[in-house]
Amino acid sequence: MINIAVVGTGYIGPVHIECLSRISGVKVVAVVDANLELARKTAARYNIEKTLEDYRDVLKDPDIHVIHNCTPNKYHYGITKEAMEKGKHVLSEKPLAMNQEEARELVEIAKKNKIVTGIDFCYRYYPVVQEMAVRIRRGELGDVRMASGSYFQDWLSKETDFSWRLQRSESGESNITADLGSHWFDLVQFATGLKVAEVIGDFASLVPVRKKPKRQVVAFEDVKETATENFKAELEDYSAVLFRLSNGAPGSFTTSQACAGRKSDTEFQVYGSTCSYAWNHKHSTELWIGYRDKPNEVLIENPVLQDASTAKYAPLPAGHPTGYYEAVMHLFQDYYDALNGNDRSAVARPTFETGYEEMKIVDAVVASNKKRQWVSV
Ligand SMILES: NC(=O)c1ccc[n+]([C@@H]2O[C@H](COP(=O)([O-])OP(=O)(O)OC[C@H]3O[C@@H](n4cnc5c(N)ncnc54)[C@H](O)[C@@H]3O)[C@@H](O)[C@H]2O)c1
């Protein structure tokens, strides 16, 4: 049995626990949260033995083998570093760290200590996104000519909405480019197999002054009446990026958390010399395939019609949709297979190297927005 401690039990920590409960050979034996009350609630809900306030206590425990780091960005580097130095394997939430220097150091420490790393870029684990990646590698798209898309949400659209993500001290030099942009650029790099080479970014704060609650709020919490103080925007809640991929192909991406009605609406399109692919989280089971000389197609996730390597990510009979929990669960399954020395990922699973690449993109976009010019990644 592989014993796991989940550190951070706000929004995403419990998602990790749900998904881990479906993987054989692993068990969450401890939850840690700086807010002990939250940790206690989570432990009670999932029947977890140990509830702790200080992550150092799980690092001391020789019976804990893996740490899932589900804390805000600010704590990723410190907790992950200490955990790896104590010989714990780590699956981190994204973004990997506050900046590329921290991320690079984490990659080096992992290598030195032979740590198996993972990072939760879960959107690439939707079955038809995996299928798109395999088909592009088989040459079915032809040359990648262009990529575009967006990621819109609405949970920070009111001035009474707040998250630690909006604070420089907690999030780093970027809010949304790091938060949602890292997911989106992972989708494009994963699907195309190309890297983002150059960027020019433009940031804005669509909600310039917010009402910051005087108590802790977890992500997506519907904050009812509570004492607040005025908070002047420190980081962007809108980001637009033009970019060039490593083969020279151009692309564009826009994101904001202040788009009323958009919930968690991400989509991306890749245009090639032979055909086009598009995927949209609102219709996450569908891969749109566009042609010039014949009718377009929609592949609905289907273990029989998908490549043998990606069929395992769509385990239900055709017509039975999988969703967000399954995407995260399959990412974890690939991680624990790798930990057991049997990497069975269809294309590639996301590791700290992937997290480092994403941090380089975020840092380049931040620098570009400041300088008002193109910056190479
Ligand atoms: N992969 C995804 O789809 C996805 C989705 C949401 C969030 N995330 C990432 O997950 C991380 C957490 O985000 P969230 O939305 O769950 O935030 P959250 O605020 O809802 O929860 C964070 C929790 O961490 C706890 N915490 C803070 N410092 C701690 C410390 N030093 N030790 C232990 N616990 C500590 C807080 O008390 C809180 O309960 C972020 O990095 C975010 O980017 C990823």
Side-chain angles (χ1 to χ4, degrees):
M1 188 59 78
I2 296 173
N3 292 331
I4 301 165
V6 172
V7 184
T9 60
Y11 159 63
I12 201 72
V15 172
H16 282 234
I17 298 168
E18 286 274 353
C19 297
L20 288 166
S21 72
R22 292 168 61 182
I23 294 176
S24 66
V26 312
K27 187 175 182 200
V28 179
V29 295
V31 284
V32 184
D33 201 295
N35 179 338
L36 196 54
E37 185 55 33
L38 272 181
R40 283 204 184 108
K41 271 192 201 152
T42 308
R45 181 166 158 212
Y46 294 101
N47 255 329
I48 294 164
E49 287 161 35
K50 291 182 194 157
T51 308
L52 300 152
E53 196 173 6
D54 188 339
Y55 68 91
R56 291 181 189 90
D57 292 331
V58 290
L59 302 190
K60 277 186 226 146
D61 185 341
D63 293 332
I64 288 176
H65 311 111
V66 181
I67 304 295
H68 280 234
N69 190 346
C70 300
T71 58
N73 305 359
K74 175 184 176 179
Y75 307 99
H76 288 184
Y77 167 79
I79 295 176
T80 298
K81 177 174 186 277
E82 268 186 68
M84 294 194 298
E85 285 170 348
K86 295 256 168 8
K88 312 290 184 199
H89 300 289
V90 182
L91 195 149
S92 174
E93 263 308 334
K94 42 56 60 177
L96 181 56
M98 298 273 267
N99 53 53
Q100 63 180 296
E101 288 75 27
E102 286 184 359
R104 187 176 50 231
E105 204 186 323
L106 293 178
V107 168
E108 281 160 12
I109 296 169
K111 257 189 215 142
K112 191 172 142 214
N113 293 282
K114 298 194 169 50
I115 302 299
V116 178
T117 64
I119 185 163
D120 189 17
F121 287 123
C122 48
Y123 293 99
R124 67 157 80 177
Y125 271 86
Y126 280 92
V128 294
V129 174
Q130 291 280 332
E131 182 67 13
M132 188 199 302
V134 165
R135 288 181 181 212
I136 291 178
R137 279 158 184 76
R138 282 205 307 248
E140 292 176 29
L141 183 84
D143 297 331
V144 174
R145 286 178 168 169
M146 172 192 142
S148 76
S150 57
Y151 194 162
F152 296 127
Q153 294 186 334
D154 69 359
W155 68 292
L156 296 176
S157 57
K158 294 195 268 183
E159 64 175 20
T160 47
D161 295 328
F162 199 80
S163 168
W164 53 261
R165 289 162 174 79
L166 297 156
Q167 290 175 273
R168 180 171 278 118
S169 59
E170 298 285 308
S171 189
E173 288 301 314
S174 160
N175 160 32
I176 198 169
T177 315
D179 189 22
L180 304 187
S182 64
H183 270 306
W184 192 87
F185 285 112
D186 180 62
L187 281 169
V188 168
Q189 294 201 141
F190 171 68
T192 63
L194 299 168
K195 301 293 174 212
V196 174
E198 230 187 331
V199 294
I200 182 162
D202 182 35
F203 291 178
S205 295
L206 306 187
V207 185
V209 179
R210 291 176 184 270
K211 303 278 177 211
K212 179 176 182 281
K214 287 187 173 165
R215 64 168 179 84
Q216 180 184 9
V217 291
V218 295
F220 308 110
E221 183 177 338
D222 185 12
V223 184
K224 301 282 185 228
E225 290 190 6
T226 187
T228 62
E229 61 197 3
N230 279 353
F231 177 84
K232 205 162 157 285
E234 295 175 350
L235 299 173
E236 84 288 10
D237 56 19
Y238 162 94
S239 169
V241 185
L242 296 180
F243 59 89
R244 290 278 173 168
L245 293 172
S246 41
N247 69 345
S252 63
F253 167 62
T254 310
T255 182
S256 175
Q257 296 141 323
C259 301
R262 286 300 181 191
K263 312 307 170 202
S264 185
D265 193 343
T266 185
E267 56 88 25
F268 75 110
Q269 305 152 39
V270 183
Y271 296 95
S273 50
T274 308
C275 68
S276 317
Y277 293 130
W279 180 80
N280 187 319
H281 191 225
K282 275 190 307 198
H283 307 284
S284 64
T285 60
E286 297 176 9
L287 176 62
W288 180 86
I289 309 167
Y291 298 107
R292 170 72 190 274
D293 297 321
K294 61 177 181 174
N296 300 333
E297 295 172 3
V298 175
L299 171 72
I300 298 175
E301 64 183 32
N302 184 331
V304 177
L305 298 182
Q306 290 185 210
D307 187 85
S309 65
T310 72
K312 67 175 176 167
Y313 303 118
L316 297 169
H320 296 77
T322 62
Y324 183 75
Y325 275 132
E326 283 73 24
V328 176
M329 191 261 286
H330 284 122
L331 185 152
F332 291 175
Q333 184 67 65
D334 274 0
Y335 173 79
Y336 283 98
D337 283 347
L339 192 59
N340 286 321
N342 182 23
D343 188 341
R344 300 187 307 129
S345 50
V347 177
R349 58 176 201 87
T351 64
F352 280 9
E353 273 86 357
T354 323
Y356 173 44
E357 282 171 10
E358 294 299 326
M359 280 319 311
K360 286 199 289 186
I361 299 172
V362 173
D363 281 4
V365 177
V366 168
S368 153
N369 171 64
K370 271 193 197 135
K371 293 183 191 162
R372 315 305 291 162
Q373 64 189 40
W374 284 89
V375 169
S376 85
V377 174

